[in-house]
Amino acid sequence: MRTLITITLAALTCIASFPVLADIWQPSAGHAQERIWPGAVPDAIANPKPETVGPLDDGEWWPRVNDVSQPTMTVYAPKSQTARVAVIVFPGGGFKMLAMDLEGTEICDWLTSLGITCVLSKYRVPNSNHHWDEACKCAVTPKVPRALQLGS
């Protein structure tokens, strides 16, 4: 019994040392989310806010992903193995957040029901393209449109 308690405490200590993943968007079971860049992300924002899942302060009801700084892709394969077409889905959000469910996974579910492979992109937001900055009350155009980068 003492060994079991020691192992349990060691596992809990190990788990506690990892960042909390509950606030990071994860695909449904059976789908693996892969980083687009396995190494350093090009033109990364220094000290980005951590990614969170949930509504913004605007009271919208649908779930969204905020402050994505590590872009990923998730493949949704159709049940038939004869798929010859693939579509990349970039969920909307106006470069502020991503509607991963409403304009992402729901679209992928529909596409796969038609026998089409879907690749869901979780791209970098916010303020990664031309945007209005409330802090300075001005329009800002970053040197690098991070959300639109497909390569380094």
Side-chain angles (χ1 to χ4, degrees), residues 37 41-45 67-72 95-96 98 121-129 144-151:
W37 292 289
V41 176
D43 301 309
I45 297 171
D67 302 310
V68 175
S69 61
Q70 180 59 248
T72 66
F95 298 108
K96 293 183 179 181
L98 299 177
S121 175
K122 184 173 78 172
Y123 55 91
R124 296 188 277 181
V125 294
N127 304 335
S128 60
N129 202 24
V144 177
R146 291 176 183 91
L148 305 177
Q149 282 185 320
L150 297 178

Side-chain angles (χ1 to χ4, degrees), residues 15 30 50 61 73 79 94 107 113 115-117 123 133:
I15 290 168
W61 61 268
M73 63 181 170
K79 294 192 185 333
I107 303 299
S113 75
I116 299 169
T117 299
Y123 55 91
D133 188 335

Side-chain angles (χ1 to χ4, degrees), residues 32-149:
Q33 183 174 203
E34 299 292 331
R35 292 172 63 159
I36 291 176
W37 292 289
V41 176
D43 301 309
I45 297 171
N47 304 313
K49 291 180 187 177
E51 179 179 317
T52 59
V53 175
L56 293 175
D57 296 331
D58 59 11
E60 290 291 334
W61 61 268
W62 43 276
R64 77 281 314 277
V65 180
N66 308 305
D67 302 310
V68 175
S69 61
Q70 180 59 248
T72 66
M73 63 181 170
T74 304
V75 175
Y76 289 76
K79 294 192 185 333
S80 70
Q81 297 298 323
T82 59
R84 298 183 132 190
V85 176
V87 173
I88 301 174
V89 173
F90 295 90
F95 298 108
K96 293 183 179 181
M97 84 299 265
L98 299 177
M100 294 299 287
D101 295 337
L102 185 65
E103 298 176 8
T105 58
E106 290 180 14
I107 303 299
C108 287
D109 290 343
W110 174 68
L111 289 168
T112 58
S113 75
L114 299 173
I116 299 169
T117 299
C118 180
V119 179
L120 181 58
S121 175
K122 184 173 78 172
Y123 55 91
R124 296 188 277 181
V125 294
N127 304 335
S128 60
N129 202 24
H130 184 76
H131 65 279
W132 181 260
D133 188 335
E134 284 297 322
C136 69
K137 303 286 187 209
C138 63
V140 175
T141 301
K143 283 182 171 180
V144 177
R146 291 176 183 91
L148 305 177
Q149 282 185 320

